Each structure stands twice: as structure tokens, then as C-alpha cells.
Amino acid sequence: MPINLTAAAQAAGLLVLSNIFMTVAWYAHLKDLRDKAWYVAALISWGIALFEYLIQVPANRIGYSTLSLPQLKIMQEVITLGVFVPFAVLYMKQPIKLDYLWAALCMAGAVYFIFRS
């Protein structure tokens, strides 16, 4: 099945937005809610994650119309890394590490192998 670039681009755009919500839901409470009980953080995170799912489900449906499931998953993982690194460095004030480059190179290899056929 040939890849419809418009559908793939729509899916990628929605997955970027979805991943922003997901990353905030998963990790922002470590900085912003560390003085709150874990269940308060969990409830707030679930509320944020609801928006992530409202974007992620249509993104995956659009993507699956033109991409194979493994291609869709690798695209998702690359987007996750692309969203997480700036979040970790800029928002969570984590140091930039050369390991981010190595991880990105591994993901580039994964993209190559999953999309080459």
C-alpha cells in the first residue's frame, strides 16, 4: 500500500500535539505538584491525559489508513523523543547530554528499517 503523505502528515501533526499533552501528564507533576499527594497528581494527570487520548485516537486512525502498524509505532516513538527532549531540557531543566544524540541516531535507524520496504 503506497503511503498517502497528506494522511501521514496529518497523523504526525496530531501525534505531536498528543505527545505534548502526554509528556505534561506523565512528567510535569514531578516539578509542579511535588508537594501534593500522589493521588492529586494522578487525578490532574488523568485530566490532562484525557485531552491526549482525544487527539491520539484520531491521529492513529488517520495514520493507520496509510501506514502499517509498525510504521505508525516507530513514527510515534520518534515524535515522543522529539517532544520529550525539549521538555526535559527547557521545562524540567535537565542537562543536555550527548546520549540524546545517540538515542536519536538509534531512532533514525529504526525509521530507516521500518520504512525501507
Side-chain angles (χ1 to χ4, degrees):
M1 159 172 72
I3 295 176
N4 176 337
L5 292 179
T6 302
Q10 287 176 341
L14 288 170
L15 286 172
V16 168
L17 189 56
S18 158
N19 268 275
I20 291 168
F21 280 102
M22 178 194 74
T23 302
V24 169
W26 281 28
Y27 302 109
H29 66 88
L30 298 173
K31 177 180 177 184
D32 299 328
L33 300 173
R34 64 177 167 242
D35 60 336
K36 304 287 185 204
W38 72 265
Y39 53 85
V40 172
L43 288 172
I44 291 170
S45 292
W46 286 344
I48 295 168
L50 171 64
F51 292 103
E52 185 259 330
Y53 273 87
L54 291 174
I55 300 166
Q56 174 265 125
V57 170
N60 283 333
R61 286 179 176 227
I62 292 167
Y64 193 60
S65 72
T66 192
L67 301 171
S68 70
L69 188 61
Q71 289 172 330
L72 187 59
K73 179 60 179 171
I74 293 299
M75 184 172 75
Q76 163 66 27
E77 293 303 329
V78 169
I79 289 168
T80 297
L81 185 62
V83 168
F84 178 77
V85 170
F87 174 84
V89 172
L90 299 174
Y91 187 76
M92 297 295 288
K93 307 297 184 203
Q94 297 294 304
I96 296 175
K97 294 184 172 187
L98 195 54
D99 290 343
Y100 295 153
L101 173 63
W102 307 137
L105 289 173
C106 290
M107 295 304 294
V111 168
Y112 169 76
F113 286 112
I114 208 70
F115 282 94
R116 71 180 173 159
S117 52

